[in-house]
Amino acid sequence: MFGPDGAEHDRGLVEAARAAGVRRIVKLSGIGTGEPAVGPVGTWHVAGEQAVRDSGLEWTILRPSAFATNTLGWAASLRAGSPVPNTSGDGGQGVVDPRDVSEVAVAALLDPAHAGRTYTLTGPEVLSVPAQAAVLADILGRPVPVRDLSSAEAREYLLGLGFSDTFIDASEISRAFVRNGGNEVVTDDVGEVLGRPARTYREWVVDHRATFGEG
């Protein structure tokens, strides 16, 4: 699971790629990497990014925002008729479809024009958890209530998902960063690479509606 030890895995992967004769690599990082306000989570990709830059290979770094697929974690609550949990208040994020991230990665691996570039990948709009719930409600045709979690409740919720104490402690700062609007960022990097607009969260929901109990 993503955490402070990830840099060792990145360095190992870079060494393995170089030994295998790979010429071009893509590092999946995260939005806000290197920004002090994001807290410890913002440092966890720094060493891995540097390993890629120092590799001697052609490299591209991708820094995606919050994934649309994060809301798959709401599916059980929705099927049970329970409110979806909200740990980030009304803070918005440029929610990105992972399919766009993977397509950008493929383009970067195939086209040397992307070498040496760092792309911040977002969707076309900033969405809070309540805004995402509203999209779900519209597509599913039924209410999708939201319950704001206190810090203690968020810890219990994340522990239940299998996250470590280390991750939860560190992510509290980044969650506060999001709550305060720090990650309300939208870029056109997806469009620049793929030559088309980034997919919307609504498009993602339409394509995955059956997962939420609507088929």
Side-chain angles (χ1 to χ4, degrees), residues 167-185:
F167 177 89
I168 294 169
D169 289 341
S171 67
E172 173 55 32
I173 298 174
S174 60
R175 293 197 304 275
F177 179 75
V178 173
R179 282 195 297 273
N180 293 327
N183 203 33
E184 294 182 348
V185 174

Side-chain angles (χ1 to χ4, degrees), residues 104-158:
V104 170
V106 170
L109 287 170
L110 294 177
D111 188 345
H114 303 294
R117 299 289 302 275
T118 298
Y119 293 115
T120 297
L121 306 180
T122 75
E125 59 187 334
V126 167
L127 294 169
S128 64
V129 166
Q132 289 176 273
V135 172
L136 274 167
D138 186 47
I139 299 301
L140 300 178
R142 54 189 168 88
V144 177
V146 175
R147 178 170 177 260
D148 292 336
L149 302 185
S150 67
S151 181
E153 289 170 330
R155 169 175 285 278
E156 183 178 355
Y157 168 68
L158 293 171

Side-chain angles (χ1 to χ4, degrees), residues 41-76:
V41 173
T43 71
W44 289 348
H45 282 298
V46 170
E49 286 191 4
Q50 195 59 48
V52 167
R53 293 189 181 98
D54 294 341
S55 67
L57 307 174
E58 293 182 12
W59 57 265
T60 305
I61 293 171
L62 308 183
R63 292 178 173 174
S65 189
F67 290 135
T69 45
N70 289 349
T71 54
L72 289 174
W74 301 349

Side-chain angles (χ1 to χ4, degrees), residues 5-20 47-48 51-52 57:
D5 300 325
E8 291 304 317
H9 297 292
D10 284 339
R11 280 190 282 265
L13 285 169
V14 167
E15 291 171 6
R18 189 165 48 225
V52 167
L57 307 174

Side-chain angles (χ1 to χ4, degrees), residues 166-215:
T166 299
F167 177 89
I168 294 169
D169 289 341
S171 67
E172 173 55 32
I173 298 174
S174 60
R175 293 197 304 275
F177 179 75
V178 173
R179 282 195 297 273
N180 293 327
N183 203 33
E184 294 182 348
V185 174
V186 168
T187 76
D188 191 39
D189 287 4
V190 168
E192 178 184 342
V193 175
L194 300 182
R196 61 159 178 80
R199 292 179 173 96
T200 65
Y201 179 66
R202 176 175 289 271
E203 289 177 273
W204 180 86
V205 172
V206 168
D207 290 342
H208 296 84
R209 59 190 298 170
T211 305
F212 297 98
E214 180 73 22

Side-chain angles (χ1 to χ4, degrees), residues 75-90:
S77 294
L78 287 175
R79 287 194 294 269
S82 302
V84 299
N86 179 17
T87 65
S88 54
D90 291 325

